[in-house]
Amino acid sequence: MQANPLCALACALAFTLTLSSAGHAAVLTGSSVHGGNAVADYSTPGAVSFDLDLDHFAPTHLDFMLEADDLLGPLSLDAIVRNLSGAALTNVDFRLEGIRFAQAGSVTPTFGTLGRIAYGSDYASIDFRAPEWAEFHFGDPLGEAGATDWLLSTAGLRAGDTFSITAEVPEPSTAALMLSALCMSGLLTMRRRPRG
């Protein structure tokens, strides 16, 4: 009895689709998005990737659950952060809970100028020397030459474990605000002095 070529092709296609759908990515299980900030998740097996639209400079908290395919090595992390607020973006912090950074990656501003990047096992802090008005790339979300993803260590973690990433724009310090107010007050006083 000869096998039907069409049936064999359909079986092979079903088997291929089953294999290709077997891989699962870190799952975004929830987010606390304050101030209207929107998040789009693009994670794939072994990679956490998202877009964050900053309509307001308010913290955005993202919760993820690890899948088995995420534990095969370090987990790559990248994001596109868009500044939709209309205000100057001068600093952004990423804070981790339940996972840690294994290696720093690149940060690429669109119009701003990168200043200092500081990071430790549970945080990354990005300062812009010239403010970013449009967007910046944390890692390599677009596959650009010379850019690299940040890496998260999965050592000691299991499928089903959870972790979180919080992106926040720190409030200007009280001292900085007072210094700015004093400078403005001094300028106004100088302007009002009579000449002569």
Side-chain angles (χ1 to χ4, degrees), residues 69-95:
D69 288 349
D70 298 318
L71 304 173
L72 300 176
L75 192 59
S76 69
L77 168 63
D78 63 53
I80 296 175
V81 179
R82 296 183 185 94
N83 181 9
L84 305 179
S85 69
L89 182 61
T90 58
N91 179 272
V92 177
D93 291 341
F94 290 95
R95 304 230 175 256

Side-chain angles (χ1 to χ4, degrees), residues 19 34 36 47 67 77 82 98 100 109 144 151 191:
L19 284 179
H34 302 284
E67 297 283 335
L77 168 63
R82 296 183 185 94
R100 62 184 177 81
E144 297 176 313
L151 298 180
R191 243 183 196 189

